Amino acid sequence: MTTVLDVQRFKEEGRRFAVLTAYDYLSAKILDEAGIPVLLVGDSLGMVMLGYPTTLPVTVDEMLHHAKAVARGSHQALLVGDMPFMSYHASVEQAITTAGRFIQEGGMHAVKLEGGGRVVEITQRLTSMGIPVMGHLGLTPQFVNQMGGFKVQGKTEKQAARILSDAKELEQAGAFSIVLEGVPTEVGTRVTQALRTPTIGIGAGPGTDGQVLVFHDMLGLTTGKAPKFVAAQRYVQEVGDGTFPGPEHSYSANGSAAPAKAPRDEVKYGSGV
Ligand code: KIV
């Protein structure tokens, strides 16, 4: 079974790795059997599974419902549960209680939290009590209202430096990995090179240690032409040999090379959404 130590070892060995979201028993079983080392029960499920316009309405109970199903389908992968909006923001105590539910009820091995700042202290507390934390910086969908939409972050030097310093603080606090979403390729590479902690990119260029995709986006429009495990295995192979993501999946700081096909369509979850 993949553990957080394996994920950290992947970086030490320079081994690129693939992460996918999973939201139900069957997809988790398919992806687990295809050898995806890390499965994320993302709050993107609110958009691709439940039809919400953003991830903000997703509740802890909804997340746990899906987390339990994923845990029943998976035996090899490291399972990470995404803590939804307002489930860890009120206090460290609230964050501990919610994270505990993800582990005890949801069958997850780790949790993911968006942002820096106050989240650094929460990360430190959770890791100190045995709950591994995956950070998430750059385009953080739970901040959609503050960001003025799902926009690429880190385009100015000031913003890029902030992402880098948040990443260093999360590393210091014990995060076992950090998702970098919707940032220019140079920022993804710069943060990755500055950290010992593995980075996992989505719309962050080819320079991150791992890549993550929303399951539905990996499958395109799910035409069902190819057996699903073939798509998953091809994704693992392309992340491993560095052919994914290509320039058409990456952003530049001046915004001139917006991807023809975004890792998330229009930085939105799910091609069909
Ligand atoms: O919610 C999610 O699925 C995510 C990943 C795409 C990183 O946050």
Side-chain angles (χ1 to χ4, degrees), residues 21 23 40-45 55 82 112 114 136 141 179 181 202 212-214 264 269:
T21 65
Y23 312 114
L40 170 68
V41 184
D43 62 357
S44 51
L45 69 81
T55 58
D82 215 357
K112 178 167 81 60
E114 291 188 10
H136 185 160
V179 169
E181 175 167 1
I202 175 164
V212 56
L213 274 183
V214 168
R264 292 179 189 181
Y269 299 104

Side-chain angles (χ1 to χ4, degrees), residues 18-268:
V19 179
L20 277 171
T21 65
Y23 312 114
D24 60 51
Y25 168 79
L26 185 59
S27 61
K29 196 161 169 10
I30 291 168
L31 299 178
D32 195 68
E33 286 172 3
I36 303 287
V38 184
L39 294 178
L40 170 68
V41 184
D43 62 357
S44 51
L45 69 81
M47 295 169 81
V48 292
M49 301 296 287
L50 305 177
Y52 296 142
T54 67
T55 58
L56 303 189
V58 179
T59 66
V60 173
D61 286 342
E62 285 169 337
M63 289 300 301
L64 290 177
H65 175 77
H66 289 272
K68 286 179 194 174
V70 168
R72 285 192 286 267
S74 165
H75 303 288
Q76 298 301 327
L78 176 76
L79 301 181
V80 184
D82 215 357
M83 304 250 281
F85 185 59
M86 286 302 126
S87 71
Y88 54 100
H89 306 75
S91 63
V92 173
E93 287 66 33
Q94 185 208 22
I96 293 169
T97 304
T98 308
R101 290 190 68 194
F102 270 88
I103 307 295
Q104 291 188 303
E105 294 176 42
M108 299 289 101
H109 307 121
V111 295
K112 178 167 81 60
L113 311 176
E114 291 188 10
R118 283 207 61 227
V119 170
V120 172
E121 185 196 349
I122 297 169
T123 300
Q124 195 273 322
R125 289 288 296 278
L126 292 179
T127 53
S128 75
M129 49 191 64
I131 302 182
V133 173
M134 175 183 278
H136 185 160
L137 297 172
L139 194 172
T140 43
Q142 291 175 10
F143 290 75
V144 59
N145 291 326
Q146 193 135 359
M147 293 183 302
F150 295 101
K151 294 185 177 154
V152 175
Q153 303 293 302
K155 285 169 132 183
T156 64
E157 176 49 34
K158 193 172 167 205
Q159 284 178 357
R162 179 66 198 267
I163 292 170
L164 179 60
S165 70
D166 282 343
K168 285 185 174 164
E169 284 181 17
L170 286 173
E171 171 171 273
Q172 192 66 31
F176 77 93
S177 62
I178 298 175
V179 169
L180 294 175
E181 175 167 1
V183 297
T185 295
E186 313 83 83
V187 177
T189 305
R190 181 170 154 197
V191 174
T192 302
Q193 289 177 351
L195 299 183
R196 275 170 290 109
T197 304
T199 60
I200 303 171
I202 175 164
T208 55
D209 300 302
Q211 296 287 332
V212 56
L213 274 183
V214 168
F215 176 69
H216 297 66
D217 292 342
M218 179 198 67
L219 291 183
L221 292 173
T222 57
T223 56
K225 277 185 192 152
K228 288 164 185 45
F229 72 88
V230 173
Q233 286 177 340
R234 199 175 63 224
Y235 171 57
V236 171
Q237 188 190 323
E238 289 182 2
V239 170
D241 66 22
T243 48
F244 180 88
E248 73 278 22
H249 304 114
S250 308
Y251 299 100
S252 70
N254 63 19
S256 62
K261 185 179 185 312
R264 292 179 189 181
D265 220 9
E266 292 301 320
V267 206
K268 228 177 140 190

